[in-house]
Amino acid sequence: MAPPNNQPRSAPNLHAPPLAPSYLPGRRLALTFAPAFASFRMPLLGRSLARHPGVGVGLEGDLQLARWIWLRGLASYTAHPLEESRAQDPDSLAVLSLANAGTMHVLNGGVSGVVGVDIGRWSPLLDVGVGTFRIGTPTGLLAGQRDQPCIDASGCDTGMVCGADNVCRPGLLPELHAGLSLEMQLRRHLAVGFLLRYFALLTAPLTYPVYLTTAVRLTARF
């Protein structure tokens, strides 16, 4: 005889398949790690206007404010190798060095508003926000470049500010950004996806992208 007095089993069958899927819609908090590729497109003194590619990593944290709205904090770092820049003097035919070789370090941090929905396993997300860049170029050779005198007592290269000692050093550069991402939920607390984000300077919002990132997103959802 099965359970007492031949009554049916009251506990669920432990070997029965789950009725709910392994993923569940909705999230209140999300933490994202994002290996990234970046393209730096701002002009640099002594260098051509060519794009400067780089790689790095980004971190994001999302906090739910309403059903389809989140507040996002983000930070990223990318490294961009730069070659030495040279030019030939048309008078003496001598080759002049205009900018040193080295690595440009780009730090970015900011906040965004995020709008998104859960469609089964898929979550398209749109974010728009503001932040700042900190750009560290190699030590300069010409006036206006890093650690060199300012141009006309105030002018400096992209990302540099003129200090009280009339020397250009890295400063903060305000920016606007907008990104589009798509996530696929693998498990209840794990999702993967991709990201495309465009940046513009706050002082010239219609000139974009001055910096562009694409990334693979690995997200923990709670």
Side-chain angles (χ1 to χ4, degrees):
M1 297 176 62
N5 301 323
N6 202 27
Q7 296 176 354
R9 184 187 298 272
S10 58
N13 188 343
L14 297 180
H15 300 288
L19 299 179
S22 58
Y23 60 92
L24 291 176
R27 57 173 184 165
R28 295 184 180 275
L29 176 68
L31 303 175
T32 299
F33 173 78
F37 168 84
S39 178
F40 185 92
R41 305 184 180 194
M42 289 182 256
L44 296 172
L45 284 177
R47 302 183 189 274
S48 68
L49 296 179
R51 303 169 185 172
H52 303 291
V55 295
V57 65
L59 298 174
E60 298 177 2
D62 293 357
L63 177 65
Q64 188 178 37
L65 302 180
R67 183 176 181 183
W68 294 322
I69 300 176
W70 291 267
L71 177 66
R72 172 175 292 173
L74 57 91
S76 68
Y77 163 79
T78 56
H80 305 254
L82 301 177
E83 298 180 353
E84 182 182 8
S85 178
R86 297 180 178 182
Q88 189 175 51
D89 188 328
D91 298 325
S92 64
L93 299 183
V95 176
L96 305 176
S97 293
L98 302 179
N100 284 325
T103 301
M104 176 172 57
H105 306 278
V106 180
L107 293 170
N108 174 250
V111 294
S112 303
V114 184
V115 178
V117 295
D118 285 322
I119 309 173
R121 282 184 181 270
W122 299 93
S123 299
L125 302 167
L126 173 66
D127 68 90
V128 178
V130 296
T132 57
F133 286 117
R134 188 181 188 278
I135 302 168
T137 52
T139 300
L141 297 173
L142 306 178
Q145 295 178 344
R146 183 174 183 175
D147 298 332
Q148 298 299 317
C150 305
I151 302 173
D152 298 330
S154 62
C156 289
D157 199 2
T158 299
M160 302 292 122
V161 295
C162 189
D165 55 355
N166 198 42
V167 174
C168 294
R169 294 190 175 86
L172 297 179
L173 195 61
E175 52 85 354
L176 298 169
H177 59 261
L180 178 65
S181 57
L182 181 65
E183 292 183 351
M184 182 180 72
Q185 195 170 353
L186 298 179
R187 306 292 296 176
R188 181 175 182 180
H189 299 297
L190 178 64
V192 298
F194 73 89
L195 164 72
L196 176 63
R197 181 172 287 133
Y198 283 77
F199 293 80
L201 296 182
L202 191 61
T203 54
L206 299 182
T207 302
Y208 62 90
V210 297
Y211 182 74
L212 169 69
T213 60
T214 59
V216 176
R217 293 170 56 85
L218 305 174
T219 301
R221 301 162 52 113
F222 304 96

